[in-house]
Amino acid sequence: MAATVSFKLADHSDTFIKRHCDESLPHVGASISNLQGIGQSHRINVGLGTLGFLAVKRQAPNWESLVLVSNQHVLLANDAIRDEVIFQPDYKTQGEQIIFDALRLNAIAKIDNEGLCGHFSYAYPGESEKPYYIDCATASLLLKQIKNPHRVKTKTQYFTTVARVHPLDTLSGRELKVRLLGRSNSVWGKVIDSAATVETVSGELCRNTLVIRALPDNDGVMQPLSRKGDSGALLIDQYQRAVGLLWGNHMLDPFVSYACPIHPVLSCLQIIPWCFDFCAPRSVHKD
């Protein structure tokens, strides 16, 4: 999301992070940014994207530490690197300007796995390997969840499982319906291709990409499925299954969006998705 900003962030000191990570818990579907562009006068891209979902590393001994998942081009925007801080800031827009609330930047994570923005070889059971274009990375949460999240009875379940979008799910008349997770007024779309080759503005060919076209609402009105700042959002289908990670929109057709299939993303990052909301109690820290 390209925009000018109202102030510059001087540093990411430990004191600053401690104060702001207590402000709120990570919210799936909310805007995130490393805010690196704020301190660079030649940058106009703030790097706002979306927290797609939470996950645990496959080699982790337990569920005590979660990571957030989004696009690499979101978490590593403006040349960010491992251990840079990820924020879930409060902000408002005025025309092309984004105005952040300096007291509510809400540091929530540090970049952990820089992931991949490119092709990853993956094979579904019984099939040969294919190159799948994926755009993904993770950041470790600054707050730790309770030791046994399964005992928390008030948590929200975001999705039931993960699923593949099969080529048969794109046949005319039986296309799989999907929407972005974490949106109160989600627009539904249908997957019209599960193995498309998409060319980016830089000329890169993105193979085996999910292509989604927005569907009209109950009144027949068309709205885009995704907009600037939605990069990294999780796609779930009408059966509440996670199926893909949004990474872009068509440059000329606002009703067409692109996503990575979910299984290559999970394999590349070596993570297991956590389908519930964050389970840590709110901090009692006071200034």
Side-chain angles (χ1 to χ4, degrees), residues 60-104:
N62 51 46
W63 292 84
E64 291 183 21
S65 181
L66 295 175
V67 297
L68 65 83
V69 183
S70 188
N71 289 153
Q72 186 194 75
H73 83 259
V74 170
L75 297 184
L76 274 63
N78 296 317
D79 304 319
I81 58 175
R82 184 183 173 91
D83 289 332
E84 295 282 7
V85 179
I86 300 299
F87 299 85
Q88 193 164 276
D90 282 353
Y91 68 92
K92 60 182 179 180
T93 58
Q94 292 183 355
E96 292 298 315
Q97 187 179 47
I98 295 177
I99 301 176
F100 292 98
D101 182 345
L103 297 178
R104 296 185 60 81

Side-chain angles (χ1 to χ4, degrees), residues 3 46 62-63 82 118 141 167 200 237-238 268:
V46 182
N62 51 46
W63 292 84
R82 184 183 173 91
L141 298 187
T200 67
D237 65 16
Q238 71 262 45
C268 175

Side-chain angles (χ1 to χ4, degrees), residues 51-160:
L51 196 170
F53 62 99
L54 302 177
V56 65
K57 298 177 185 179
R58 286 186 179 176
Q59 69 270 27
N62 51 46
W63 292 84
E64 291 183 21
S65 181
L66 295 175
V67 297
L68 65 83
V69 183
S70 188
N71 289 153
Q72 186 194 75
H73 83 259
V74 170
L75 297 184
L76 274 63
N78 296 317
D79 304 319
I81 58 175
R82 184 183 173 91
D83 289 332
E84 295 282 7
V85 179
I86 300 299
F87 299 85
Q88 193 164 276
D90 282 353
Y91 68 92
K92 60 182 179 180
T93 58
Q94 292 183 355
E96 292 298 315
Q97 187 179 47
I98 295 177
I99 301 176
F100 292 98
D101 182 345
L103 297 178
R104 296 185 60 81
L105 294 179
N106 303 327
I108 59 171
K110 286 187 176 182
I111 297 173
D112 177 61
N113 185 339
E114 296 182 357
L116 177 66
C117 187
H119 287 91
F120 178 78
S121 293
Y122 180 80
Y124 286 99
E127 300 181 14
S128 58
E129 284 191 352
K130 295 179 182 178
Y132 290 86
Y133 178 79
I134 59 175
D135 183 352
C136 58
T138 67
S140 296
L141 298 187
L142 295 175
L143 288 172
K144 305 301 181 183
Q145 72 173 54
I146 62 173
K147 292 186 176 181
N148 191 347
H150 299 279
R151 293 183 180 177
V152 178
K153 297 181 180 180
T154 59
K155 60 183 181 289
T156 299
Q157 187 172 16
Y158 288 119
F159 53 91
T160 57

Side-chain angles (χ1 to χ4, degrees), residues 10-74:
D11 61 56
H12 293 169
S13 68
D14 289 341
T15 302
F16 178 89
I17 293 171
K18 172 60 180 171
R19 176 168 182 264
H20 286 276
C21 76
D22 292 330
E23 296 295 329
S24 70
L25 299 176
H27 173 63
V28 170
S31 296
I32 57 174
S33 172
N34 58 40
L35 298 184
Q36 291 291 305
I38 291 179
Q40 303 173 20
S41 59
H42 65 287
R43 303 284 189 181
I44 61 171
N45 187 351
V46 182
L48 277 173
T50 298
L51 196 170
F53 62 99
L54 302 177
V56 65
K57 298 177 185 179
R58 286 186 179 176
Q59 69 270 27
N62 51 46
W63 292 84
E64 291 183 21
S65 181
L66 295 175
V67 297
L68 65 83
V69 183
S70 188
N71 289 153
Q72 186 194 75
H73 83 259
V74 170

